[in-house]
Amino acid sequence: MQSGHNKRIEYIPIRQIIRPIKPHLDLQKVDAMVSTMKGVPMASQTCTLEQASNMNGELPAVDIFKLTRRVPVAHDGNNNTDNSETVTKDFYFSFASCHRLTSYERLQNETPDKEVLVKCKVYPAIESQLRLYM
């Protein structure tokens, strides 16, 4: 996705981002990104130490599709619904940025009591657009 024109940044919890396609990863690159987010810049094959230092502990924004849908309200703890009451819910999808998102997931796993937020550029989407990416 060409996102250079989108300057609006949102921070979304990593737990809310759906990644339908399994990533293929360079784990050294993921390690470097996690280290950089922790405030210890580290170089990788695609990022020099100087570039990592200039990030100030933050990775570049991830492109995210946002699908907004009406969903039934669950009235008990078992997700049972009567389909008469609905709420609007946002679903966030990513089809790229595998290394960055895996870095955020790893950081979340290391600090489960803290909500890790992903720096994102969010684009509204409809179901047919998401099917195109699948």
Side-chain angles (χ1 to χ4, degrees):
M1 180 182 325
Q2 299 296 318
S3 64
H5 66 282
N6 185 349
K7 305 298 183 205
R8 191 169 143 233
I9 300 294
E10 295 181 41
Y11 289 84
I12 299 169
I14 185 63
R15 291 181 175 126
Q16 290 184 16
I17 299 174
I18 301 164
R19 299 170 63 194
I21 299 172
K22 181 178 164 92
H24 296 280
L25 301 168
D26 172 349
L27 295 180
Q28 190 276 329
K29 187 174 179 179
V30 172
D31 292 341
M33 289 179 176
V34 170
S35 182
T36 297
M37 285 192 294
K38 290 180 174 179
V40 183
M42 181 187 280
S44 70
Q45 286 185 336
T46 58
C47 183
T48 67
L49 183 57
E50 180 181 359
Q51 290 169 324
S53 297
N54 291 337
M55 290 182 193
N56 299 317
E58 194 169 65
L59 301 180
V62 173
D63 291 340
I64 297 290
F65 286 112
K66 177 174 128 178
L67 175 67
T68 302
R69 296 201 53 181
R70 303 245 354 130
V71 295
V73 175
H75 292 288
D76 63 20
N78 299 319
N79 289 330
N80 293 329
T81 63
D82 63 11
N83 291 328
S84 63
E85 194 177 340
T86 62
V87 294
T88 300
K89 184 173 179 182
D90 294 328
F91 297 88
Y92 300 96
F93 293 87
S94 177
F95 297 95
S97 307
C98 297
H99 291 89
R100 282 176 276 171
L101 289 169
T102 300
S103 300
Y104 283 108
E105 287 173 344
R106 186 178 291 174
L107 191 60
Q108 181 67 71
N109 290 338
E110 291 176 8
T111 55
D113 56 325
K114 179 184 173 197
E115 186 171 59
V116 174
L117 301 176
V118 179
K119 182 179 181 180
C120 299
K121 292 182 180 181
V122 179
Y123 297 87
I126 57 175
E127 288 182 39
S128 62
Q129 289 171 313
L130 295 176
R131 273 191 225 104
L132 180 69
Y133 280 87
M134 299 287 285

